[in-house]
Structures are given as C-alpha cells and as structure tokens.
C-alpha cells in the first residue's frame, strides 16, 4: 500500500477528508516540496493545491497518484472540492495547525473541522515505515556524510579548532552532493565531549583528546545521522575502558533490533549493560530515534516506549557515556529493520581509532 492509500484507509467514510497543511507531511504524501499550499486527501483522490509559483514544478515532480490543482485562494479551492465530493468533515493536523489558522479555517471552510481525530499521530505512525525509495535516499545521505568525514579526518590534528572542523565538514557535505546539513554539526573535542549536544567553538584540539563527530546530511529531503568518537594521538586506559563499554552497549542494542522486539528491548540492552559497568548515571538520553524527512521521528527508542519494530523502520542506535569535566563517548549508526535481522547503514568502522 502507498502512503496515500494508508491514509485513505484511516478515513472513516467518503464524506470525511484529511487536510494536510504541514510542509513536511505535504511533502511526504506528494513527493513535492513547497510552501503556502495544502494537500487534501479524500477516500479516492489526493489533491495537491498550489499557487501559480509552484504549478509547473508540481506537475513535473508530484507523484503520479496525486492530482495537482492550481488555486487563487486556497480556501475557495478547498471548498470547491468539498462541494464536488460531498465532504462533510475535514480532519486537520492537531500537532501543527496553530490556533490562528484553526480560527481562520473555521470562518472560511464549509465543512466541520475535526481537530481531535489523531491525524498527526496517524501520519507519524505511517511515516515510521519507510519505502525502499526512502531508504535509498537516507542511505545516499549517509554515504555523503561518510565521504565528507573520511576526507575531513586528514585535517584533524592538534591546533585545529572545533569550529574550523565544523565549517570544513559542512563545506565537504555540500561538495559531495548534500542539499544541506541535517542539523547543526557537532564537532567537539576534549572536555567538551562530555556535553551530548555540545556546540563547536574556539576550543583547540590537543594531543590526547577525544573528538566527537555527530553529523548528518540531507539528500532529497531525507536525513542521515551518525556519531563517531576518535582519539587524537593517544588514548589513556580510562578512555579505552569507556570507549569499549559504549561500543559493547551499541552492539548489544544492535542485536535487539529485530522485527517483533520493542524499542524498549533495544534501549534496555544498551542501558542495562552500561549500568552493569557502573556508568548508568552517565547515560542520560534515549538509545535512539527514527530518522526520515525529519532528523528525529517516531519511534523513540527508550525504555518507556513500547513500539514494536517492523520491516522498513529506520532507527538510530546511539548509546553514550558522558563524564562531566573529563570526556564523553557516543557511537551512533542508523539501522534498517528488515526481515529478522537489522542492517546498519554505516560503513565507517567503529573500533577505537587513534588519529
Ligand atoms: Mn541521533
């Protein structure tokens, strides 16, 4: 079933339609990225409504099962379809429609608005399962990041600043075909590596530092996410010990990424191991998350989340240990849930590398 068909299945009857106004969800269903329009999905048709600025591109690049409609006034065009299709109720996205927009929809649209029908939540659930095309785009984004990082590693040496590494990596991601960076790149070193989401600054890399790269790029709208921690020059016994615990935790979580297991099983595999080694209080975030048109999507890979893993999900496996004032280690791959086993999307090695 296509994404559109899955949503049409969710509509209770022919007099109910779904009005999709968030940019990312509109892109998801139509394959076309634009602003200021809407997607209207009825039981039998998916309409992409856009103004003259986008019409030519929309007709060229929207999916075949989407009917492109040009509008002058958006609400008038929606009302015409409502009338033509005898639509009585419109589901709207409860998580993204603002109160101001809702009020404007109420005064302008000639159908009952359903704001508590769970449309956003349903779309999040549909988006969890990726098609092979989506997985191909995520994989391409991952390859771009890996190529950029591999080249960047030639420039990592004592004396370079975190910011210089971040700027150079962003440049390389563009050079190798990334549309943009997937999030503000994390290229941090030394004691800053104990900050899970540290911001690259003026700190100068030194011999004996850990250096953490939490990085990703975007290809055709799809994101990639990867973290590698390297040592510069040499690593102390304590650095090696912590690295190995995180690496083993990462592998234990990966083993649990199997169709039918829950995301809690995956999180607990990493968390229990880190706790057994005495570092539980230094692993304060979830083990992973879904990745797709957004960098963080459902499911959440955490002990309190009971989502059952299904074919086609793409999730991250990223345990870490962060020792305040000393250093931190995180190792992250994206994994495709497929058949009875998981397949990492990363090709870069994970054993401790001394640069
Ligand atoms: Mn991540």
């Amino acid at each position: 079933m296509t994404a559109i068909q899955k949503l049409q299945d969710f509509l209770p009857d022919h007099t109910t339609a779904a009005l999709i106004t968030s940019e990312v969800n509109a892109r998801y269903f139509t394959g076309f990225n634009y602003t200021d329009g809407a997607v209207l999905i009825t039981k039998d048709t998916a309409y992409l409504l856009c103004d003259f600025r986008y019409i030519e591109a929309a007709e060229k690049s929207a999916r075949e099962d989407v009917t492109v409609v040009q509008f002058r006034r958006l609400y008038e065009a929606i009302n015409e379809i409502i009338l033509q299709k005898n639509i009585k109720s419109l589901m709207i996205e409860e998580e993204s429609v603002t109160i101001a927009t809702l009020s404007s929809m109420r005064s302008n649209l000639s159908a009952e608005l359903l704001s508590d029908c769970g449309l956003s939540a349903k779309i999040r659930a549909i988006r969890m399962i990726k098609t092979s095309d989506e997985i191909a785009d995520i994989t391409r984004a991952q390859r771009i990041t890996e190529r950029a990082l591999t080249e960047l590693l030639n420039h990592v040496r004592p004396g370079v600043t975190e910011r210089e590494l971040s700027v150079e990596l962003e440049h390389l991601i563009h050079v190798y075909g990334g549309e943009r960076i997937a999030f503000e790149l994390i290229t941090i070193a030394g004691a800053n590596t104990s900050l899970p989401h540290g911001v690259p600054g003026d700190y100068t890399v030194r011999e004996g530092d850990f250096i953490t790269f939490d990085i990703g790029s975007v290809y055709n709208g799809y994101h990639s996410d990867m973290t590698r921690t390297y040592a510069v020059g040499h690593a102390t016994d304590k650095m090696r010990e912590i690295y190995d615990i995180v690496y083993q935790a990462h592998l234990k979580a990966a083993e649990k990424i199997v169709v039918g297991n829950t995301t809690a099983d995956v999180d607990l595999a990493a968390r229990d191991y880190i706790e057994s080694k005495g570092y539980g209080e230094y692993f304060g975030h979830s083990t992973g998350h879904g990745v797709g048109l957004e960098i963080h999507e459902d499911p959440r890979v955490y002990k309190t989340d009971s989502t059952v893993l299904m074919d086609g999900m793409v999730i991250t496996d990223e345990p870490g240990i962060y020792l305040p004032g000393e250093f931190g280690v995180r190792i992250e791959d994206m994994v495709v849930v497929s058949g009875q086993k998981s397949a990492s999307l990363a090709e870069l090695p994970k054993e401790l590398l001394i640069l």
Side-chain angles (χ1 to χ4, degrees):
M1 261 205 288
T2 65
I4 290 172
Q5 287 166 339
K6 287 178 189 171
L7 192 68
Q8 286 170 332
D9 249 24
F10 178 64
L11 300 174
D13 52 54
H14 281 83
T15 66
T16 307
L19 179 60
I20 293 154
T21 45
S22 79
E23 196 177 325
V24 63
N25 284 340
R27 178 176 195 163
Y28 175 69
F29 285 107
T30 63
F32 182 60
N33 189 34
Y34 71 114
T35 52
D36 302 329
V39 171
L40 183 66
I41 299 184
T42 68
K43 267 287 188 195
D44 56 26
T45 309
Y47 300 93
L48 164 60
L49 299 113
C50 50
D51 65 39
F52 74 96
R53 293 172 298 169
Y54 295 103
I55 199 78
E56 187 183 346
E59 278 166 352
K60 225 178 275 175
S61 59
R63 277 192 248 289
E64 280 178 7
D65 51 353
V66 169
T67 303
V68 178
V69 176
Q70 185 175 351
F71 68 82
R72 277 183 189 281
R73 291 177 196 281
L74 178 61
Y75 290 146
E76 282 175 16
I78 295 171
N79 280 337
E80 271 176 40
I81 298 170
I82 286 175
L83 192 67
Q84 189 191 330
K85 292 277 183 177
N86 195 29
I87 300 297
K88 304 292 183 205
S89 316
L90 274 185
M91 291 181 168
I92 60 168
E93 292 164 296
E94 72 278 6
E95 291 170 6
S96 57
V97 171
T98 63
I99 294 170
T101 301
L102 179 63
S103 161
S104 160
M105 284 176 172
R106 281 215 176 98
S107 359
N108 288 289
L109 291 174
S110 48
E112 184 196 359
L113 298 181
L114 308 176
S115 59
D116 59 353
C117 55
L119 178 62
S120 295
K122 179 66 185 178
I123 295 171
R124 278 193 282 114
I126 294 173
R127 279 177 46 188
M128 282 199 294
I129 312 294
K130 271 70 183 177
T131 63
S132 54
D133 285 346
E134 290 181 287
I135 291 169
D137 286 339
I138 294 168
T139 306
R140 181 82 179 262
Q142 171 65 15
R143 291 293 163 269
I144 290 165
T145 308
E146 290 181 341
R147 205 173 157 195
L149 180 59
T150 301
E151 181 160 336
L152 184 78
L153 290 184
N154 298 322
H155 306 283
V156 178
R157 68 182 91 79
V160 70
T161 68
E162 295 171 337
R163 197 193 317 270
E164 284 164 349
L165 292 174
S166 158
V167 168
E168 181 60 17
L169 190 60
E170 179 166 355
H171 172 72
L172 289 168
I173 282 172
H174 285 291
V175 166
Y176 292 132
E179 277 167 28
R180 55 189 167 87
I181 50 175
F183 47 88
E184 288 303 315
L185 303 174
I186 299 176
T187 59
I188 51 177
N192 295 335
T193 54
S194 74
L195 308 168
H197 275 185
V199 178
D202 294 326
Y203 177 78
T204 301
V205 173
R206 290 181 211 163
E207 159 92 20
D209 277 352
F210 262 144
I211 177 162
T212 297
F213 295 95
D214 184 350
I215 57 179
S217 39
V218 177
Y219 182 80
N220 194 31
Y222 285 84
H223 296 66
S224 69
D225 199 0
M226 168 178 68
T227 306
R228 289 292 183 269
T229 303
Y230 302 112
V232 180
H234 70 270
T236 63
D237 287 348
K238 186 166 187 190
M239 287 165 75
R240 289 175 189 276
E241 179 207 346
I242 299 295
Y243 191 94
D244 190 58
I245 296 169
V246 172
Y247 184 30
Q248 295 305 322
H250 171 89
L251 296 177
K252 285 177 190 301
E255 277 172 25
K256 294 286 179 184
I257 304 179
V258 167
V259 171
N261 276 354
T262 66
T263 48
D265 295 330
V266 178
D267 181 78
L268 285 169
R271 195 167 304 282
D272 287 348
Y273 181 74
I274 289 174
E275 274 171 14
S276 78
K277 294 292 176 183
Y279 290 99
E281 63 178 300
Y282 302 106
F283 175 28
H285 57 76
S286 58
T287 296
H289 54 87
V291 183
L293 282 175
E294 290 171 290
I295 186 64
H296 293 128
E297 302 192 348
D298 282 353
R300 187 165 182 225
V301 182
Y302 192 55
K303 59 185 177 181
T304 53
D305 186 292
S306 55
T307 306
V308 175
L309 295 176
M310 287 187 279
D311 237 1
M313 285 181 175
V314 177
I315 60 172
T316 66
D317 170 4
E318 51 175 310
I321 293 177
Y322 312 91
L323 305 177
E326 291 185 72
F327 60 81
V329 173
R330 181 167 63 256
I331 302 171
E332 173 183 28
D333 278 359
M334 293 181 296
V335 179
V336 180
V337 183
S338 167
Q340 280 307 303
K341 57 173 188 170
S342 52
S344 169
L345 284 179
E347 289 184 342
L348 289 189
K350 286 175 281 203
E351 294 80 14
L352 178 59
L353 185 65
I354 313 278
L355 299 173

